[in-house]
Amino acid sequence: MSRPMLEIVALEKSFGDLKVLRDINLRVATGEMVFVIGPSGSGKSTMLRCCNRLEEPTSGAILIDGKDIVGCSSSALNRMRLEVGMVFQGFHLYPHMNVVANVMLAQIKALKRPKDEARERALAMLDRVGLRHRAETMPTQLSGGQQQRVAIARALALDPKVMLFDEPTSALDPELVGSVLAVMKDLKDSGMTMLVVSHEMGFAREAADRVVFMDGGLVVEEGPPEQIFANPKAERTQAFLSRVRA
Amino acid sequence: MQDFIRLFFNLEVMAQTLPLLMQGLWMTAKLCAAVIGLGLVGGLFLALGALSHRRWLRWPAFALIDFLRALPPLVLLIFIYSGLPFAGLAISPFAAVAVAFFLNNSAYYAEIYRAGIQSVPTGQTEAARACGLTTGQTLAHVVLPQAVRNVLPDLLSNTVEVVKLTSLASVVSLAELLYSANMARSLTYNASPLVLAALVYLVLLWPLVRLVSRYQRRLAA
Ligand SMILES: Nc1ncnc2c1ncn2[C@@H]1O[C@H](COP(=O)(O)OP(=O)(O)OP(=O)(O)O)[C@@H](O)[C@H]1O
Ligand SMILES: [Mg+2]
């Protein structure tokens, strides 16, 4: 196997005495979409947030295209964060700026792109998520699904090498989930490397290359979606899946 | 009744002393500009200090804010104007007032900023940092614009207090609006200049006060 785009090595994370991640090892190949599932509190979000150091790992290494993000200085960290796009459950668009300004901000301030170029790029990304016609709208005027697609465009505009998704559809009304998943599928088809925490099992079956089951701060089991969903080996995976299906 | 009007609402006296009062108003305006400008900047730094995760910054910022809020502004003013000369530090009345009220108001502005910054969800900061913005850029472009908008009524309301506070400058003989009016009163043996000064304050501040309550009602809605 060639060098993975994202590699998590012996990652540990504690909050005080609480050990949330214990020895996580995970590789995501270039262009691969890996799904992470697991019970609430198992450490899925924490693992994702360690990958761009929104959470400071206690120990271990996280390599983005071969470069370790854990040890680097704060200026190097800001540069590396450009390579790791993140999409949150709660969208977190900037409410005081219109949609296109949301997508332009980091391009101008962090990437130092000229304004015209940033705007052009922002409009292209909005086009990609089907929202170019809403470029001048304020985020609060949009539906949840639309806001999430803008958040995806905002991350994509920085040309990341990896995209992290933390339950991107779980704050959405059911009828709006499809539009966000469609954008993610399109991203996957264009070759983006993606690490996705989500319980959209149907989508995982259709689009994910691999599914990882986490519990208690550990990767319990991983494999192709058919295998994990149809014949999970570990007892904990079986118990979890029967609970979410019930 | 005639006497009352002659002594309190004497238009002739008002017209005669108007130039003096306008000079006073100009001084009040300069004082307000200095105190509000410095206070808004100083308050921001104090607030950022108080919110810092570095203890050596946070602790002194909190102590200073508490100290300045507990100390009556008039005590601070008289100490700076009349007390510091004993240490060989004599400053002009204007500088004394500006410094005293700047210190006092920085603490109040700081508390308002702090509430504003805390009202911005952490998700905003996280989203900005995840996009590679630095701490400073995140503050300037994402957090502060939202924070200020959330506490605009309080910032305005405190600014009204600053304008009122500057009238205390008359105790160190700084010829601002109140001092000038009082001087005009003693020159003319007539209270009308004082009434005029009160009217000037009202005309200046009443729209601001209206604006604040309009805002507050809108935020509450
Ligand atoms: N900042 C924090 N301080 C203290 N404890 C935390 C913090 N963040 C998370 N935790 C704890 O770490 C554990 C793992 O949390 P995490 O959010 O990673 O779980 P999760 O798998 O994403 O769960 P969910 O499915 O509910 O989102 C939980 O017990 C949580 O309470
Ligand atoms: Mg989570």
Side-chain angles (χ1 to χ4, degrees):
Chain A
M1 181 169 152
S2 64
R3 184 172 82 188
M5 184 57 86
L6 170 67
E7 184 170 15
I8 301 176
V9 186
L11 175 64
E12 293 185 17
K13 170 68 185 174
S14 304
F15 292 106
D17 289 337
L18 182 67
K19 227 171 178 191
V20 173
L21 300 177
R22 20 183 121 222
D23 195 26
I24 300 274
N25 293 278
L26 190 65
R27 311 171 118 221
V28 185
T30 304
E32 200 184 15
M33 181 195 266
V34 173
F35 247 67
V36 181
I37 60 172
S40 180
S42 56
K44 307 179 296 294
S45 296
T46 305
M47 177 184 78
L48 224 53
R49 291 160 58 82
C50 282
C51 292
N52 62 0
R53 273 177 60 191
L54 283 183
E55 227 53 93
E56 211 53 68
T58 306
S59 67
I62 296 172
L63 310 178
I64 312 291
D65 201 11
K67 277 178 294 175
D68 189 5
I69 198 171
V70 175
C72 68
S73 68
S74 69
S75 59
L77 174 61
N78 287 330
R79 255 174 286 124
M80 284 194 75
R81 277 175 169 160
L82 294 168
E83 303 183 345
V84 185
M86 186 162 205
V87 174
F88 302 86
Q89 179 176 357
F91 333 130
H92 304 325
L93 296 181
Y94 315 130
H96 58 299
M97 304 178 187
N98 67 18
V99 162
V100 70
N102 263 272
V103 184
M104 288 167 69
L105 181 67
Q107 293 187 64
I108 294 168
K109 300 299 169 190
L111 267 185
K112 312 285 183 207
R113 270 195 191 134
K115 255 201 171 127
D116 309 349
E117 200 184 320
R119 188 177 171 84
E120 210 167 292
R121 178 90 180 130
L123 291 173
M125 289 303 106
L126 287 171
D127 199 30
R128 188 161 176 191
V129 300
L131 289 169
R132 190 186 176 118
H133 61 294
R134 306 307 298 271
E136 308 296 332
T137 315
M138 296 308 274
T140 47
Q141 311 286 99
L142 301 178
S143 74
Q146 291 173 326
Q147 290 188 44
Q148 193 60 295
R149 280 144 64 201
V150 173
I152 294 173
R154 175 173 68 180
L156 287 179
L158 302 170
D159 304 317
K161 293 178 173 169
V162 186
M163 286 281 286
L164 310 171
F165 292 81
D166 192 359
E167 308 208 30
T169 56
S170 57
L172 300 179
D173 293 335
E175 73 272 17
L176 301 176
V177 168
S179 67
V180 172
L181 295 182
V183 167
M184 291 171 65
K185 178 76 169 68
D186 171 65
L187 254 184
K188 149 85 178 147
D189 291 342
S190 71
M192 179 59 75
T193 308
M194 298 158 83
L195 184 58
V196 183
V197 173
S198 167
H199 292 131
E200 296 288 342
M201 308 289 186
F203 181 66
R205 271 174 192 275
E206 180 195 332
D209 297 295
R210 231 167 355 122
V211 174
V212 170
F213 174 71
M214 275 180 71
D215 193 13
L218 283 168
V219 171
V220 175
E221 183 169 3
E222 61 179 295
E226 317 81 58
Q227 183 204 313
I228 298 287
F229 293 141
N231 322 293
K233 292 200 191 71
E235 217 168 278
R236 280 194 279 176
T237 319
Q238 293 165 6
F240 172 73
L241 286 171
S242 64
R243 236 182 312 129
V244 286
R245 282 185 187 130
Chain B
M1 190 61 196
Q2 288 279 304
D3 270 359
F4 178 75
I5 290 180
R6 188 176 55 78
L7 288 173
F8 288 92
F9 294 93
N10 191 325
L11 291 181
E12 210 176 306
V13 171
M14 283 185 180
Q16 191 190 343
T17 55
L18 191 65
L20 188 62
L21 261 68
M22 287 303 111
Q23 274 177 23
L25 181 60
W26 175 235
M27 178 57 83
T28 294
K30 283 193 287 186
L31 206 50
C32 287
V35 173
I36 294 167
L38 290 169
L40 282 170
V41 175
L44 182 57
F45 279 100
L46 274 180
L48 294 178
L51 288 169
S52 168
H53 46 253
R54 298 185 183 90
R55 200 178 316 172
W56 57 266
L57 246 169
R58 193 173 60 222
W59 191 85
F62 264 116
L64 195 57
I65 290 172
D66 275 2
F67 173 76
L68 290 171
R69 291 207 319 158
L71 196 66
L74 191 53
V75 173
L76 190 58
L77 171 58
I78 292 181
F79 176 78
I80 288 175
Y81 185 68
S82 312
L84 286 187
F86 287 94
L89 274 171
I91 56 177
S92 71
F94 184 88
V97 176
V99 168
F101 295 169
F102 147 65
L103 288 173
N104 173 263
N105 270 284
S106 291
Y108 284 95
Y109 280 127
E111 286 296 271
I112 297 169
Y113 280 123
R114 192 160 69 93
I117 290 171
Q118 283 177 325
S119 75
V120 178
T122 49
Q124 290 290 313
T125 307
E126 290 185 348
R129 298 308 307 274
C131 285
L133 296 192
T134 63
T135 319
Q137 289 170 335
T138 301
L139 197 65
H141 302 292
V142 176
V143 177
L144 279 182
Q146 298 182 59
V148 167
R149 192 157 66 173
N150 290 349
V151 293
L152 205 53
D154 298 316
L155 285 174
L156 271 176
S157 175
N158 192 57
T159 303
V160 170
E161 294 303 317
V162 173
V163 177
K164 292 195 278 185
L165 193 65
T166 57
S167 61
L168 288 186
S170 53
V171 303
V172 294
S173 311
L174 185 67
E176 44 67 67
L177 181 55
L178 177 62
Y179 185 86
S180 306
N182 200 28
M183 194 152 80
R185 191 253 328 141
S186 69
L187 289 174
T188 57
Y189 296 104
N190 190 297
S192 301
L194 290 175
V195 173
L196 184 57
L199 286 174
V200 171
Y201 279 116
L202 273 179
V203 167
L204 285 177
L205 294 180
W206 183 70
L208 273 176
V209 172
R210 279 280 9 108
L211 197 64
V212 170
S213 51
R214 273 249 307 273
Y215 255 122
Q216 274 164 341
R217 242 178 303 136
R218 218 177 54 200
L219 282 190

